[in-house]
Amino acid sequence: MKRLITLLALAMLAAPLCLAGSVTGHVLDLDCAKAGHVDLACAVNCIKNGATAAVVTADGKIYEVAEQAKLVEHAGTKVTVTGNIEGMRITSVEKVEKAS
C-alpha cells in the first residue's frame, strides 16, 4: 500500500512537467537552427526534403517538435504552435497557426 501511495504521489508531482502551452517562432530546420544559421528560403527547401523541423523563438530558443508532419507546410514561416511542452520539446501538437 505504501508503494502505491508513493507512486501516485510521484505521478502527481511529475504531471506539471508536461504542460499544455504555446510557442511562437519561425519553423526552421533543426541543424541550421542549432548552428545559428537563419535562412527562411533554405529552411523551406531543407524541411520539404526531409530535414527535421524545429520552432525557433525570437530569443533564440529552439523547440524540437515530435509531430513533424504538422510543420512541413509551415516551413520558413512564423507560427504559433499549441500543444504539450516538456522542456524544450513539443511532444504533441494540437494546432499550428500563422503568427504575425
Side-chain angles (χ1 to χ4, degrees), residues 25-41:
H26 283 89
V27 178
L28 303 175
D29 65 281
L30 183 59
D31 291 335
C32 287
K34 285 183 177 179
H37 178 75
V38 178
D39 182 338
L40 300 180

Side-chain angles (χ1 to χ4, degrees), residues 7-21 84-87 91:
L7 288 173
L8 288 173
L10 287 173
M12 289 174 57
L13 289 173
L17 297 176
C18 179
L19 298 174
N84 289 327
I85 302 169
E86 292 182 30
T91 57

Side-chain angles (χ1 to χ4, degrees), residues 9-100:
L10 287 173
M12 289 174 57
L13 289 173
L17 297 176
C18 179
L19 298 174
S22 61
V23 174
T24 299
H26 283 89
V27 178
L28 303 175
D29 65 281
L30 183 59
D31 291 335
C32 287
K34 285 183 177 179
H37 178 75
V38 178
D39 182 338
L40 300 180
C42 179
V44 171
N45 288 329
C46 290
I47 292 169
K48 290 190 179 192
N49 286 317
T52 302
V55 177
V56 181
T57 64
D59 60 355
K61 292 180 182 174
I62 301 170
Y63 288 85
E64 295 185 38
V65 180
E67 297 178 74
Q68 290 287 299
K70 294 184 178 182
L71 291 183
V72 173
E73 68 183 82
H74 301 284
T77 60
K78 187 175 181 181
V79 298
T80 298
V81 179
T82 303
N84 289 327
I85 302 169
E86 292 182 30
M88 300 304 292
R89 184 165 171 78
I90 302 170
T91 57
S92 66
V93 176
E94 291 175 18
K95 65 180 174 179
V96 180
E97 299 176 305
K98 196 169 190 174
S100 55

